[in-house]
Every structure is written in structure tokens, then in C-alpha cells.
């Protein structure tokens, strides 16, 4: 594109006091022809901004003035105004040319900017297409697998052939998706014929894991179990393992994220209280993970309630679901490597499996139990074990299900520990020894006896959603290698909070989801002490929790500081900006299974610091057990040994060293794909070798 030459008015010669001397018409010039100059007008409205318009004059139409004028016919008084008019028109034309050139340059810049934005958008679209194409392939693969389950339940295929077909689908899922994506609407018999024609896959790699649980994000979420199920399952599937989940079909399920939800037409029955009861089986795919929902027909009220837990008949509800899950697995011909149980609600599967189902074609399957904690165990009458087909007399013994303290009751969680091949306790900061001796809630003798099969795993976080280098909520992305974008995010957070921006200011973020253990007076004192030193704070609460709102209002009234801003309503975009724009994230605990605040802080280049440093330091330093997680070891050697005031001093006094420390922390991987995944795969491998 050519560039127009701009005329600088400053270098043009100024007109003399007598314009006629510069543009005078010689009187003696023979045969001099004079023409009337056409009128030029600067058009700003109807014909475009500052465009030049030529108004037709009589000379353009061959009018009477289109004649030669002799010099004698023009006087000095007539020439002077004409020359002045010509000069005026020239200057106006020059101004318009300059304006038009400036507008042209501006338009070119805008065009280039638009082109760059278009390229960025095209690149993002390509990335999303690639991402969702992969997800769609996995989802279609799972639809095929779930249809095979339906074929077994309907009697179209034997369990042995179903097992071979599943291996074929897993091994050939990319090519199978291309062939069968348009055939999934066919009836089971027609689809089976096509699968048999395609049969002949190789041996499957990785483990086949079935989670039998009561929560899964985003379908149903009450506590830490829901994000753990989804996070771990996605990490396992990314690494080549086959993972599926079985859930009760609660009336309150959020089914928006379920792809291909369908009811299995075949009848499904399960044993409970001496007879068989019918169930509806539903299947679908969530985040690329195959999910099966079990809906009781006779006991329809079991999962058609407002809450998920805390009903008097919880043992009946979840023991029915546990037995129905095993009946479904056995009838569908599945032969998983590991049945992964969770908390007391499905722990009863341990004794049911070994006493009944291990002899029904599942002899190569092993049991792994995960506990989010030991505070909920389910103690009930021994006779109730008979509801799901167990022998109370055989199991109500001290070395099996009998509770250690209340010997007239059975302890369901204890039974799960005894009858599992491995037990994983989820805890980011606590060691195995501390869990057994101080956090077992009466299960210490059982845990000590089974100590060798006990493992501790940390929680993780979703590093695809929480990644500052690709985060769609941030004004500018950044990474450990290029931190310039974090400064821009800090400015954006200042502006959002309405806090004055200073080059040396230190910004502290705090996200509060619940306040059951918060000491508000200590927190108030810590904030006041830090603001006196120039620190600034942004608090983000959860508007759905009244106690959090009351706590934030209390702090706001107590502090009354322009350097402290409170947001009572939780906002997803704002939460990302708080992590990205803060230098420090104030944490109630480093063990945060719900929000994973410390993990996200590290990922976004903010130092996680305990709001009650002294108390936590005492607890951790008194714990000499070396069987701790890698995350716990990292925190105890870095930010876990520093108070808020110490961190503030370190940032001010040693900025270069601090930046290196933050950059190194950002490079650590504490996502679901890292230590949590490794611990679980190690446990799966261990139980399969038994």
C-alpha cells in the first residue's frame, strides 16, 4: 500500500502582505486568457467528512462567461480579490489534504489492528475446534461402550464377546469414531452387526477403573468428593486409562453437561431385602467420561429428595445403590481391573464383593477405597447387613465390621477398610502417622492394623481451566517465563476494586467460601497491621452463604480502610483476576479440598500464606512423620514457614530473590495430573499384582 506524502504547513512560505505580488497577472501579456476559478467547498456532512466538492460554474456549461478576457478588461481592484480567493482556496485545500491523510493513516492502523485481532480469534477457534474434536471423539467412544452394556443387558451378546468388543473400542477409538459416529442412532442389533464386522482389536493398555460413588462434579456436588471424582477421572483418562462412573440418579442432578443421555431399554434387577427389584439404567458421557445412573423403581423415594445425605435411612439408601451397582456390573459383563469405592456410602461394596460377586466372573477385579476423611462412618444395627445379602453373624466381629467402641453396632466404613486391597486417604498436608493417631475418629486400631495398605494422596486442581498463560478471564496472559502480564492483571484488579495504584504497593487477595474456622479478630488484626505497612487487600466472598456475608460485613465495618475492598458476591471472572493480580493469597489452610486456593495461588504467581500462621506452624512442626505428600513437603520448605508480615518484608527487601522464588513455584505441578494421579496409579498397579 502506497503512502501519501504529507505536506507540512510549517515549511510552506507564508503569504506576503500583498498576495497580488505573488499571484499577479501581467497586464502586458499578449493573448493572456483568464478563467474564472471553480468554487471549491469543504463538504463535511452529505458527501463525506472533509471531502472536497467542486460546484459547477457557468463556465463548465459553456455559459456566457466562457470567453477570453483581455488584460485591459481587468482592473487592479478586480484582480486583487480574485488572487486572495485563490490563496484562500489553496490553504483550505491543503488543510483538507492533511486531514484526509491523517484519517487515512488512522484507518490503516485500525485495519491492521482488526487484522491482528482476527488472526488471534482464528487461532483461538482452531484451538477450540481441536480441543472439542478430541472431546467429541472420547464422548462417541463412550457412547459405543455404553451401548455394548445395553446389548449385554438385552441378551444380544454374551459377556465374553462384550469384553472383546470393549477392548476393540478402546484400542481403536479414533478409527471407530470415524466409522460409527453416524451409526449410533441405529438399533442395538444393527449396531452390534457393524461392531462384529469391525472386530479384531489388540490388547488394551492401561487400567479399567469403575468409580462407584455418590457425587461427581458438575452433576451433583456437596463436598470435596465431587471435584475429586471428576479431576482424577479426567487425569486418568488423559493418560490412557479407561474410567467410568456409577451414580444414583438423584432427582436433583444437573444434567446440562451430560452428552447422549439415554435410558437403557433392557430390564435391570438388583437384590434387596430378600427379593429382586427393578431399576432404570441411564447412560451418558460427562467430560469424556462414561457415566451410568441407577434409578430404583420400587424404592423410588431413595434418591428423590431435597438433600443428598443426612437422612435416617441413609444406610438403606446407599446399601441398595451399592448392591444395585454390583448387580449391574456383573450382568453387563464388565471385568474392570479395579472397583474404586468412596467414603462409607459405598464402602459396603467391599464385603458384598468378596462374599458374593468375586465368584461371579469378577475374580480378577480388585477393590480400592478412598476416604475424604473419617468423621463420617455410619454405625447401624448388624441385622441390617442382611438387606443387601450379607450374613450379619459372619461380619459382626471385631476383625471385620464390629465397631471398636460401640460393639453392639457395625461400622460400615471400618468394613470398607478391612475388605479393600488398598485404602487412600485424601489429605494435602497431613502425614499418614498424624492421620492414624490424631484424625481417625475412633478407627485408630483398624488403621494401625492395616497401615501397610494405607496411602495418602493430595488433592489437585484443573490446570486446563486454571492456567494464567491461556486464562480467558485475564486481560493479559502470563507464565513463569514471561511475568509481564501479571503486572497488567494487578493494574486491572486495582481498577476493579477502586484502589489507588502505586508501583510499590503489595496486593493481598483473600477468597472466603466458609467461615466456620476463621478467627475474624485475628484476621482483622493481621489486615490492620499489614495496611499500616502499605499493603492493600481484596476480599472475595460467596453470596450464597449468609455466614460469609456476615463475616465480610463485620470486617468491612471494623476496618473502614480505603486500601481494603470487599466483594460479597462470588464471580468466576473476578476470582481468576484476584489470583492473577495478587502478590499474596491469604489462606485459612493449605489443606483446601473444595476451592484448592493454595494450589491456584502457586499457579498464578501469588504466595499462599496462612492467615493464622503461628497455630499451623506448631501443628506441622510437631508432625515428624516423613510419609507426607510432595505438596506438603514443598509448602513446609517455602511459604508454609512464613507469616504474612515476613512475606511482606521479603517482597520489599529482596525483590529479585522473591521473583525467582515465585517463578520457581509457578513451575511446580500440583494438578490432578501430577502427584494425585501418580499415587492412584501406583495403588492400582499394586492391587492388580496381588
Amino acid at each position: 500500500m502506497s503512502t501519501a506524502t504529507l505536506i507540512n504547513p510549517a515549511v510552506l512560505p507564508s503569504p506576503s502582505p500583498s498576495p497580488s505580488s505573488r499571484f499577479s497577472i501581467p497586464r502586458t501579456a499578449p493573448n493572456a486568457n483568464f478563467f474564472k476559478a471553480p468554487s471549491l467547498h469543504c463538504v463535511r456532512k452529505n458527501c463525506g467528512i472533509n471531502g472536497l466538492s467542486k460546484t459547477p460554474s457557468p463556465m463548465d456549461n459553456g455559459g456566457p462567461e466562457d470567453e477570453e478576457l483581455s488584460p485591459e478588461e481587468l482592473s487592479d481592484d478586480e484582480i486583487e480579490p480574485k488572487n486572495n480567493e485563490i490563496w484562500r482556496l489553496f490553504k483550505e485545500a491543503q488543510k483538507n489534504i492533511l486531514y484526509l491523510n491523517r484519517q487515512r493513516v488512522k484507518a490503516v492502523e485500525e485495519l491492521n489492528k482488526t487484522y491482528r485481532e482476527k488472526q488471534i480469534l482464528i487461532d483461538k477457534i482452531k484451538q477450540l475446534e481441536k480441543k472439542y474434536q478430541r472431546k467429541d471423539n472420547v464422548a462417541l467412544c463412550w457412547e459405543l461402550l455404553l451401548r455394548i452394556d445395553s446389548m449385554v443387558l438385552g441378551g444380544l451378546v454374551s459377556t465374553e464377546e462384550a469384553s472383546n468388543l470393549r477392548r476393540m473400542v478402546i484400542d481403536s477409538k479414533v478409527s471407530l469414531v470415524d466409522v460409527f459416529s453416524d451409526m449410533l442412532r441405529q438399533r442395538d442389533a444393527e449396531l452390534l452387526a457393524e461392531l462384529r464386522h469391525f472386530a479384531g482389536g489388540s490388547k488394551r493398555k492401561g487400567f479399567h477403573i469403575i468409580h462407584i460413588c455418590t457425587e461427581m462434579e458438575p452433576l451433583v456436588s456437596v463436598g470435596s468428593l465431587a471435584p475429586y471424582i471428576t479431576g482424577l477421572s479426567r487425569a486418568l483418562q488423559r493418560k490412557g486409562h479407561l474410567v467410568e462412573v456409577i451414580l444414583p440418579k438423584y432427582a436433583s442432578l444437573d444434567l446440562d453437561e451430560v452428552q447422549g443421555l439415554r435410558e437403557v431399554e433392557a430390564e435391570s434387577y438388583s437384590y434387596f431385602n430378600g427379593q429382586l427389584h427393578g431399576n432404570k439404567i441411564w447412560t451418558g458421557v460427562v467430560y469424556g467420561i462414561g457415566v451410568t445412573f441407577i434409578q430404583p423403581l420400587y424404592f423410588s423415594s431413595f434418591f428423590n429428595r431435597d438433600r443428598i445425605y443426612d437422612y435416617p435411612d441413609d444406610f438403606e439408601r446407599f446399601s441398595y445403590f451399592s448392591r444395585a451397582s454390583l448387580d449391574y456390573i456383573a450382568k453387563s459383563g464388565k471385568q474392570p481391573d479395579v472397583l474404586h469405592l468412596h467414603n462409607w456410602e459405598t464402602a459396603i461394596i467391599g464385603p458384598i464383593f468378596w462374599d458374593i460377586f468375586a465368584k461371579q466372573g469378577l475374580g480378577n477385579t480388585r477393590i480400592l477405597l478412598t476416604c475424604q476423611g473419617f468423621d463420617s462412618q455410619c454405625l447401624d444395627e448388624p441385622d441390617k447387613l442382611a438387606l443387601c445379602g450379607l450374613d450379619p453373624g459372619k461380619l459382626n466381629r471385631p476383625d471385620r465390621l464390629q465397631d471398636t467402641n460401640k460393639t453392639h453396632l457395625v461400622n460400615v466404613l471400618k468394613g470398607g477398610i478391612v475388605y479393600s486391597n488398598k485404602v487412600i486417604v485424601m489429605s494435602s498436608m497431613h502425614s499418614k502417622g498424624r492421620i492414624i493417631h490424631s484424625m481417625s475418629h475412633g478407627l485408630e486400631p483398624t488403621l494401625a492394623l492395616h497401615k501397610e495398605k494405607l496411602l495418602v494422596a493430595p488433592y489437585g486442581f484443573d490446570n486446563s481451566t486454571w492456567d494464567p498463560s491461556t486464562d480467558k478471564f485475564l486481560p493479559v496472559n502470563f507464565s513463569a517465563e514471561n511475568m509481564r502480564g501479571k503486572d497488567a492483571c494487578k493494574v486491572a484488579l486495582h481498577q476493579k476494586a477502586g484502589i489507588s495504584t502505586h508501583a510499590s504497593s503489595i496486593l493481598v487477595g483473600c477468597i472466603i467460601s466458609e467461615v466456620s474456622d476463621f478467627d475474624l479478630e485475628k484476621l482483622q488484626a493481621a489486615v490492620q497491621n499489614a495496611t499500616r505497612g502499605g499493603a492493600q487487600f481484596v476480599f472475595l466472598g460467596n453470596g450464597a452463604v449468609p455466614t460469609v456475608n456476615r463475616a465480610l460485613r463485620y470486617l468491612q465495618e471494623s476496618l473502614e480502610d480505603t486500601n481494603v475492598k470487599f466483594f460479597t458476591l462470588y464471580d468466576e471472572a473476578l476470582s481468576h483476576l484476584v489470583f492473577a493480580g495478587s502478590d499474596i493469597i491469604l489462606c485459612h489452610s493449605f489443606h483446601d479440598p473444595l476451592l484448592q486456593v493454595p494450589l491456584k495461588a502457586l499457579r498464578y504467581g501469588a504466595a499462599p500464606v496462612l492467615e493464622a500462621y503461628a497455630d499451623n506452624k506448631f501443628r506441622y512442626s510437631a508432625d515428624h512423620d516423613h510419609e507426607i505428600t510432595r505438596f506438603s513437603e514443598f509448602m513446609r520448605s517455602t511459604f508454609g514457614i512464613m507469616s504474612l508480615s515476613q512475606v511482606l518484608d521479603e517482597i520489599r527487601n529482596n525483590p529479585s530473590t522473591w521473583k525467582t522464588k515465585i517463578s520457581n513455584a509457578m513451575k511446580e505441578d500440583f494438578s490432578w495430573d501430577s502427584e494425585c494421579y501418580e499415587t492412584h496409579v501406583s495403588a492400582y498397579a499394586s492391587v492388580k499384582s496381588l
Side-chain angles (χ1 to χ4, degrees):
M1 183 180 293
S2 61
T3 305
T5 303
L6 300 181
I7 303 173
N8 188 348
V11 301
L12 290 174
S14 302
S16 63
S18 176
S20 62
S21 63
R22 187 176 302 276
F23 293 97
S24 61
I25 302 173
R27 294 177 177 273
T28 59
N31 303 319
N33 296 328
F34 297 90
F35 299 92
K36 185 173 181 179
S39 296
L40 296 178
H41 299 277
C42 181
V43 182
R44 299 177 183 271
K45 294 183 180 179
N46 299 329
C47 299
I49 299 175
N50 282 299
L52 291 179
S53 174
K54 176 179 177 182
T55 303
S57 65
M59 64 178 287
D60 296 323
N61 300 320
E65 295 187 21
D66 190 13
E67 300 175 354
E68 292 185 359
L69 298 177
S70 63
E72 288 77 8
E73 294 177 10
L74 295 174
S75 64
D76 288 341
D77 293 336
E78 292 174 328
I79 295 173
E80 183 96 12
K82 291 182 182 293
N83 288 339
N84 288 339
E85 178 67 11
I86 292 172
W87 176 246
R88 185 187 65 77
L89 292 172
F90 175 78
K91 289 195 296 181
E92 186 169 347
Q94 187 181 55
K95 289 180 182 178
N96 280 284
I97 291 171
L98 289 171
Y99 179 83
L100 288 172
N101 275 317
R102 285 195 295 270
Q103 292 297 101
R104 183 166 172 263
V105 171
K106 185 177 179 181
V108 170
E109 291 175 350
E110 289 293 328
L111 185 63
N112 290 336
K113 180 182 177 183
T114 303
Y115 177 77
R116 289 193 298 270
E117 291 175 349
K118 175 186 173 184
Q119 289 301 118
I120 293 172
L121 181 60
I122 290 173
D123 292 341
K124 287 186 177 180
I125 290 173
K126 289 180 179 178
Q127 292 174 3
L128 287 172
E129 286 177 345
K130 183 177 180 181
K131 175 182 177 182
Y132 284 103
Q133 180 64 36
R134 181 182 63 80
K135 285 186 176 181
D136 287 343
N137 287 348
V138 175
L140 289 169
C141 175
W142 259 112
E143 287 192 46
L144 281 172
L145 290 170
L146 295 171
R147 289 291 293 276
I148 293 172
D149 297 347
S150 176
M151 294 171 194
V152 178
L153 295 174
L156 292 177
V157 63
S158 68
T159 57
E160 182 180 356
E161 184 180 4
S163 179
N164 293 331
L165 290 175
R166 291 188 187 101
R167 281 197 295 270
M168 177 195 68
V169 171
I170 297 163
D171 294 339
S172 312
K173 59 184 176 183
V174 175
S175 55
L176 271 173
V177 165
D178 295 334
V179 175
F180 290 97
S181 59
D182 296 328
M183 299 182 183
L184 287 170
R185 295 184 181 181
Q186 294 181 352
R187 300 178 66 86
D188 284 352
E190 297 168 339
L191 184 60
L192 176 59
E194 297 292 343
L195 283 169
R196 284 170 171 166
H197 180 72
F198 196 88
S202 60
K203 185 178 180 181
R204 172 176 55 85
K205 299 177 181 179
F207 295 112
H208 179 191
I209 313 299
I210 298 181
H211 292 282
I212 306 177
C213 51
T214 54
E215 297 179 41
M216 179 186 184
E217 196 175 70
L219 305 177
V220 52
S221 181
V222 177
S224 58
L225 176 61
Y228 160 73
I229 291 292
T230 305
L232 175 62
S233 298
R234 296 178 76 180
L236 287 165
Q237 198 139 285
R238 279 192 290 268
K239 302 293 179 67
H241 304 282
L242 177 64
V243 186
E244 55 185 304
V245 176
I246 302 179
L247 288 166
K249 193 174 187 302
Y250 303 105
S252 58
L253 282 174
D254 182 356
L255 300 175
D256 290 344
E257 295 292 338
V258 181
Q259 293 178 271
L261 181 65
R262 63 187 294 269
E263 180 186 348
V264 176
E265 296 178 1
E267 295 179 342
S268 176
Y269 293 91
S270 60
Y271 178 91
F272 192 75
N273 195 20
Q275 56 185 309
L276 296 176
H277 298 278
N279 302 300
K280 277 187 180 181
I281 305 297
W282 300 77
T283 60
V285 180
V286 179
Y287 296 154
I289 302 162
V291 182
T292 299
F293 305 97
I294 296 180
Q295 180 182 6
L297 295 178
Y298 182 77
F299 295 100
S300 58
S301 65
F302 274 176
F303 303 112
N304 190 21
R305 304 181 184 182
D306 295 333
R307 301 191 311 274
I308 304 301
Y309 307 120
D310 300 326
Y311 290 99
D313 61 344
D314 274 359
F315 174 83
E316 288 85 347
R317 296 170 67 221
F318 294 112
S319 61
Y320 180 96
F321 165 69
S322 297
R323 175 65 193 251
S325 298
L326 287 173
D327 282 318
Y328 165 73
I329 290 170
K331 188 174 181 182
S332 63
K334 296 176 185 287
Q335 293 182 324
D337 295 302
V338 179
L339 290 179
H340 196 150
L341 320 179
H342 300 273
N343 298 334
W344 79 258
E345 285 82 3
T346 57
I348 196 69
I349 288 176
I352 296 176
F353 176 84
W354 290 114
D355 282 7
I356 301 171
F357 285 88
K359 306 166 188 176
Q360 297 184 16
L362 293 171
N364 293 324
T365 299
R366 297 293 178 263
I367 302 294
L368 187 143
L369 171 68
T370 289
C371 300
Q372 305 293 312
F374 298 111
D375 52 329
S376 183
Q377 302 176 15
C378 187
L379 275 61
D380 219 320
E381 299 293 333
D383 290 344
K384 285 190 176 182
L385 296 175
L387 291 173
C388 49
L390 293 172
D391 182 355
K394 180 181 176 182
L395 297 177
N396 188 22
R397 293 167 34 178
D399 60 339
R400 298 187 181 178
L401 269 73
Q402 187 181 63
D403 187 67
T404 304
N405 299 314
K406 299 179 180 181
T407 56
H408 62 290
L409 300 176
V410 290
N411 187 319
V412 177
L413 185 60
K414 175 183 176 180
I417 295 169
V418 172
Y419 279 86
S420 294
N421 299 110
K422 282 285 183 182
V423 178
I424 293 181
V425 182
M426 297 303 298
S427 178
S428 294
M429 291 300 296
H430 303 115
S431 68
K432 182 195 289 190
R434 174 167 163 72
I435 290 169
I436 292 175
H437 301 299
S438 305
M439 304 172 67
S440 57
H441 295 271
L443 286 173
E444 182 176 352
T446 302
L447 294 175
L449 182 64
H450 296 273
K451 182 178 180 179
E452 296 306 315
K453 65 180 183 184
L454 188 67
L455 299 172
V456 181
Y459 289 94
F461 72 102
D462 182 0
N463 61 357
S464 61
T465 301
W466 294 91
D467 182 354
S469 66
T470 58
D471 195 327
K472 63 181 180 181
F473 292 115
L474 303 186
V476 182
N477 295 118
F478 62 93
S479 64
E481 291 74 23
N482 185 357
M483 293 286 286
R484 288 193 298 271
K486 186 169 177 66
D487 295 331
C489 292
K490 186 174 181 180
V491 171
L493 182 56
H494 270 119
Q495 294 174 346
K496 180 73 174 177
I499 298 176
S500 59
T501 305
H502 304 290
S504 60
S505 64
I506 299 175
L507 195 54
V508 183
C510 185
I511 298 177
I512 302 178
S513 61
E514 53 85 26
V515 292
S516 58
D517 296 323
F518 263 85
D519 189 326
L520 294 179
E521 292 185 357
K522 283 186 178 181
L523 181 58
Q524 175 189 342
V527 172
Q528 288 174 330
N529 184 55
T531 53
R532 281 194 289 268
Q536 300 170 320
F537 286 79
V538 174
F539 285 87
L540 178 59
N542 185 346
V545 182
T547 55
V548 172
N549 290 339
R550 287 195 293 270
L552 290 179
R553 282 198 298 271
Y554 167 81
L555 286 173
Q556 190 170 10
E557 293 169 359
S558 303
L559 295 170
E560 292 185 348
D561 194 322
T562 57
N563 284 317
V564 182
K565 177 67 178 180
F566 295 86
F567 295 95
T568 56
L569 295 177
Y570 181 83
D571 178 81
E572 184 70 13
L574 180 57
S575 69
H576 284 248
L577 187 59
V578 169
F579 282 109
S582 298
D583 300 294
I584 301 169
I585 294 292
L586 209 55
C587 306
H588 168 63
S589 171
F590 292 147
H591 175 72
D592 184 3
L594 280 175
L595 292 183
Q596 300 110 19
V597 168
L599 306 180
K600 295 171 184 175
L602 292 172
R603 190 79 172 101
Y604 279 69
V609 177
L610 292 174
E611 47 90 10
Y613 164 74
D615 294 339
N616 285 279
K617 179 184 177 184
F618 174 78
R619 287 205 303 267
Y620 293 147
S621 61
D623 188 353
H624 301 296
D625 193 325
H626 296 292
E627 292 185 68
I628 59 175
T629 64
R630 192 170 73 244
F631 171 74
S632 178
E633 187 176 1
F634 174 82
M635 293 303 297
R636 296 183 193 203
S637 63
T638 53
F639 306 107
I641 58 175
M642 302 179 73
S643 66
L644 177 59
S645 59
Q646 288 174 325
V647 172
L648 292 171
D649 290 341
E650 183 75 13
I651 294 174
R652 294 190 188 101
N653 300 329
N654 301 295
S656 178
T657 304
W658 182 259
K659 287 180 180 178
T660 301
K661 191 173 187 177
I662 288 294
S663 178
N664 291 337
M666 288 182 69
K667 296 173 184 176
E668 295 286 339
D669 184 5
F670 296 116
S671 67
W672 295 114
D673 297 78
S674 185
E675 186 178 6
C676 181
Y677 165 82
E678 294 164 2
T679 302
H680 283 80
V681 170
S682 174
Y684 297 149
S686 177
V687 298
K688 280 301 292 180
S689 65
L690 296 176

